[in-house]
Amino acid sequence: MLNYSRETILNTVLTLLLLGIPFAALAIDEPFYVTLATRVTIFALAGVGLNFALGLGGLISFGHAAFFGLGGYAVGILASHALNYEPLMSSPFEIEGTTQMVILWGVAMIVSGLAALIIGLFSLRTSGVYFIMITLAFAQMIYYFAISWPAYGGEDGLPIYVRNGFPGVNTLVPINFFMISFGVLMLAILLVAVLRNSRFGAALQAARQNEDRLSAVGIKPFYIRLAAFVISAMITGLAGALFADLNRFVSPSMLSWHTSGEIMVFVILGGVGRLFGPVAGAALFILFEFIFGGLTEHWMFFLGLVLLAVVLFARGGLIGTIAGKVRYD
Amino acid sequence: MTDYSGGGDAPVLEIRNLYKSFGALKATDDVSLTLMPGEIHALIGPNGAGKSTLIRQICGEFEPDHGSVHFLGNDLKNSGVADRAQLGLGRTFQISSLALEFSALRNVMLAVQSTSGSSFKFFKPVMKDQPLVDAAMSFLGKVEMQSRANVPAAELSHGERRKLEMAIALALKPKAFVLDEPMAGMGPEGSKALTGFLSDLRHQAPILLVEHDMDAVFALADRISVLVYGQIIASGTVDEIRGNSVVRTAYLGEDA
Ligand SMILES: Nc1ncnc2c1ncn2[C@@H]1O[C@H](COP(=O)(O)OP(=O)(O)O)[C@@H](O)[C@H]1O
Ligand SMILES: [Mg+2]
């Protein structure tokens, strides 16, 4: 009970900080920090997606960049078609591009979810190191495909000339776009909290703890994991969509294994399986990049050391270190 | 329709000419046996005889090299572990196999949720699903574990874990129990209590019982099969097995 309330307090503090910083930044006329906070928010959302598969389901996906990038490209491609007045497809029926965020998000989630369904059908038959390698391999395939496909920018990436629209909001105002991203992040965390406590969540967490036990009671771990992998990918894909809009640019680097690694770093730094772990992790990551990135170009090396320390001495990440182990009621 | 509900004469579980080798080792060597309604059929034999390997083939963890397993008239050839559990095979593991981070209660709830509707329900919190919680609690009560309901499985004693395994098997409301050494490490008190418990349980569903505790086996079994080096060397009633000189030399360790 004590741990639980401590974690709740910590989560509340994190949320208020994330929400407060951009407004404080505006007050002191430092709009750059609004963008920084938006990056934290979107990275956290990508981490929330991975954390669902990894933290609750024990699925160590090293290919979540695929979903992040697909979400981004879904936005980039549709928006570029809309801006060029070129339909995406004209036969057998016509599909137009769009610049409506809500539609773009839906498409991004569907595309990432379908990709996860296919990748999961293959990769979830394996486990351990094989699973890590297969998810990585699929992501690399998509990465090289994006690089070698000139229609949408190839290696150079694809600019999005106008930020996409959201009903009743001027999305070009940074704080507005931050609020949209923040709202999406909170909804995603709420969704994960609900799923975690459901029957599905119970089965998923049991699959992580002991898959033989789950099978022996008559529940097939494979389908539980597949569904979790798809949900996880959809959340990370949504983050990719927002990231595309933040930068008004998508590039193959969103799909690269570096990105998969970074998303995993958010989860590990913050605390694997903790609801707000990715928020803490993404914030630490950006903070680290911001502080040490200015001092040395080898900041990634030092981040590596921190990561090593977390894995060796603070397995629960920031949240676990402060709030203690997870206890199930 | 064949009657499997008890008293009928069709076997609930039937194993026909099963073979399984690990390299040169014949762990299961032409094993056939049946489990009849209402009975306790004990499977005994020295360590390494192949008892657990046989159980694993029955439950779908290992695929036999040859032969078949029939359950309630179905050939289980293409059924996985979970399918067989759904069909009504309730097994316990020789070495407790639990979701260690979950409480005892949540371990049992998993079994209840599997037998009462889908696990693809995404929104309702399980702990607020009163019928689910109550049912799991009542199964914990049957093994006198209610007071330990909220303890994580990792923190339970060995004996408590064995009982929890039993509660999970009960919660599946199986059509046959397959129990791999349920008394192992339970101590004389625990074994005695469990013996009484199993004796009643056979009326709920027949039991294939792998057990080392000979007092328990002789007290409980309607039939005994003796497995040595992967082969059933004798099968019969308690008295027949006790009087069988081959069994006595090969397994019970007495001079014939
Ligand atoms: N997965 C396996 N791979 C190789 N050999 C195995 C495997 N499982 C069991 N065995 C061997 O098969 C024989 C029977 O083992 P087991 O069925 O566990 O015996 P019992 O339960 O009767 O003590 C033993 O010699 C054991 O070493
Ligand atoms: Mg054994």
Side-chain angles (χ1 to χ4, degrees):
Chain A
M1 221 47 217
L2 182 80
N3 289 335
Y4 175 74
S5 58
R6 225 196 244 194
E7 185 165 349
T8 308
I9 293 168
L10 185 56
N11 294 345
T12 312
V13 170
L14 278 170
T15 308
L16 292 177
L17 272 177
L18 181 58
L19 187 59
I21 284 172
F23 284 99
L26 279 187
I28 58 167
D29 209 23
E30 291 275 8
F32 169 70
Y33 293 99
V34 179
T35 305
L36 213 58
T38 313
R39 272 169 71 89
V40 170
T41 307
I42 294 172
F43 283 167
L45 181 64
V48 167
L50 177 63
N51 200 26
F52 186 64
L54 181 111
L56 298 187
L59 304 173
I60 307 176
S61 163
F62 202 57
H64 261 50
F67 313 125
F68 191 68
L70 283 172
Y73 269 95
V75 169
I77 290 172
L78 281 176
S80 76
H81 278 278
L83 294 169
N84 298 335
Y85 303 103
E86 260 182 288
L88 193 63
M89 185 169 115
S90 43
S91 67
F93 44 86
E94 188 165 294
I95 298 182
E96 301 269 359
T98 174
T99 58
Q100 276 305 315
M101 272 188 200
V102 178
I103 299 172
L104 291 166
W105 295 347
V107 175
M109 288 168 74
I110 290 168
V111 170
S112 338
L114 283 176
L117 187 66
I118 295 165
I119 296 174
L121 276 173
F122 290 96
S123 61
L124 288 169
R125 301 196 184 276
T126 66
S127 62
V129 175
Y130 298 100
F131 180 76
I132 298 175
M133 297 317 281
I134 293 183
T135 49
L136 171 64
F138 270 107
Q140 287 300 92
M141 269 167 53
I142 298 173
Y143 169 72
Y144 284 113
F145 182 76
I147 279 192
S148 59
W149 196 25
Y152 296 110
E155 221 169 333
D156 299 331
L158 181 66
I160 303 167
Y161 293 106
V162 175
R163 185 165 285 160
N164 294 299
F166 189 89
V169 180
N170 180 356
T171 54
L172 273 172
V173 178
I175 193 76
N176 290 351
F177 186 65
F178 167 80
M179 285 309 292
I180 290 173
S181 305
F182 181 82
V184 171
L185 173 65
M186 289 300 129
L187 282 177
I189 291 175
L190 181 70
L191 174 73
V192 170
V194 169
L195 291 176
R196 187 179 64 168
N197 293 330
S198 71
R199 279 179 175 229
F200 175 74
L204 179 63
Q205 292 168 88
R208 181 193 74 233
Q209 295 171 49
N210 186 343
E211 66 173 336
D212 294 337
R213 173 36 74 200
L214 191 63
S215 304
V217 299
I219 301 171
K220 290 180 183 160
F222 180 80
Y223 295 104
I224 298 286
R225 287 176 175 146
L226 186 60
F229 195 62
V230 169
I231 293 169
S232 157
M234 289 171 81
I235 297 173
T236 300
L238 180 57
L242 287 168
F243 196 64
D245 249 324
L246 174 68
N247 300 324
R248 280 181 273 156
F249 182 67
V250 288
S251 76
S253 76
M254 283 181 79
L255 292 158
S256 82
W257 66 270
H258 293 105
T259 303
S260 292
E262 281 180 16
I263 300 173
M264 199 175 287
V265 169
F266 308 150
V267 173
I268 295 171
L269 279 184
V272 176
R274 312 309 280 254
L275 217 43
F276 281 72
V279 180
L284 285 175
F285 183 91
I286 296 288
L287 217 62
F288 209 88
E289 180 184 35
F290 182 68
I291 295 169
F292 295 101
L295 299 178
T296 160
E297 56 186 296
H298 303 301
W299 70 275
M300 273 285 206
F301 170 76
F302 294 101
L303 180 70
L305 290 183
V306 170
L307 203 61
L308 203 63
V310 168
V311 172
L312 290 177
F313 306 113
R315 296 292 295 261
L318 182 79
I319 308 247
T321 304
I322 296 177
K325 273 180 67 174
V326 182
R327 278 191 78 95
Y328 296 91
D329 45 13
Chain B
M1 280 296 287
T2 320
D3 176 21
Y4 296 109
S5 58
D9 51 9
V12 176
L13 180 69
E14 184 174 9
I15 292 153
R16 291 183 200 148
N17 307 103
L18 219 58
Y19 291 85
K20 175 84 190 170
S21 295
F22 299 112
L25 177 79
K26 291 178 175 170
T28 309
D29 190 2
D30 195 15
V31 170
S32 299
L33 63 80
T34 57
L35 182 65
M36 304 303 289
E39 79 166 342
I40 294 182
H41 187 157
L43 184 65
I44 65 174
N47 263 326
K51 304 179 297 293
S52 292
T53 302
L54 184 62
I55 298 290
R56 289 185 160 154
Q57 292 169 86
I58 294 171
C59 297
E61 276 173 61
F62 286 168
E63 201 179 329
D65 298 337
H66 274 291
S68 60
V69 178
H70 292 258
F71 181 56
L72 305 174
N74 305 298
D75 186 341
L76 296 184
K77 187 166 180 32
N78 297 316
S79 311
V81 176
D83 297 316
R84 295 179 194 207
Q86 286 287 351
L87 280 172
L89 266 178
R91 64 93 55 102
T92 61
F93 293 86
Q94 180 175 356
I95 296 165
S96 296
S97 181
L98 300 161
L100 288 173
E101 294 167 35
F102 276 172
S103 64
L105 180 66
R106 294 204 61 165
N107 270 277
V108 182
M109 282 169 64
L110 269 182
V112 177
Q113 111 176 23
S114 168
T115 54
S116 65
S118 169
S119 284
F120 288 93
K121 289 186 178 160
F122 297 92
F123 298 110
K124 185 171 183 180
V126 277
M127 296 312 290
K128 299 229 167 76
D129 188 338
Q130 212 53 50
L132 191 65
V133 175
D134 290 347
M137 207 51 134
S138 80
F139 289 113
L140 276 179
K142 292 198 168 137
V143 296
E144 288 158 356
M145 281 280 289
Q146 252 166 339
S147 64
R148 306 290 281 160
N150 294 319
V151 180
E155 291 168 23
L156 295 174
S157 72
H158 175 81
E160 287 170 337
R161 289 191 198 186
R162 308 283 343 170
K163 287 198 208 169
L164 179 53
E165 284 256 340
M166 201 64 223
I168 295 171
L170 292 174
L172 289 172
K173 297 190 191 138
K175 309 240 167 47
F177 289 97
V178 179
L179 310 180
D180 197 352
E181 301 199 24
M183 321 240 171
M186 288 280 268
E189 282 298 305
S191 292
K192 234 179 118 190
L194 191 56
T195 303
F197 182 81
L198 293 181
S199 186
D200 293 336
L201 190 62
R202 87 184 86 189
H203 305 298
Q204 193 175 319
I207 304 172
L208 180 63
L209 175 69
V210 172
E211 191 44 69
H212 264 305
D213 181 334
M214 280 306 133
D215 293 335
V217 167
F218 288 142
L220 283 169
D222 299 294
R223 274 195 300 156
I224 300 177
S225 293
V226 184
L227 194 70
V228 178
Y229 292 125
Q231 290 183 316
I232 293 194
I233 60 165
S235 193
T237 62
V238 170
D239 290 337
E240 283 163 3
I241 293 299
R242 270 187 162 145
N244 185 315
S245 61
V246 179
V247 173
R248 286 162 68 157
T249 38
Y251 177 52
L252 296 178
E254 298 168 18
D255 295 325

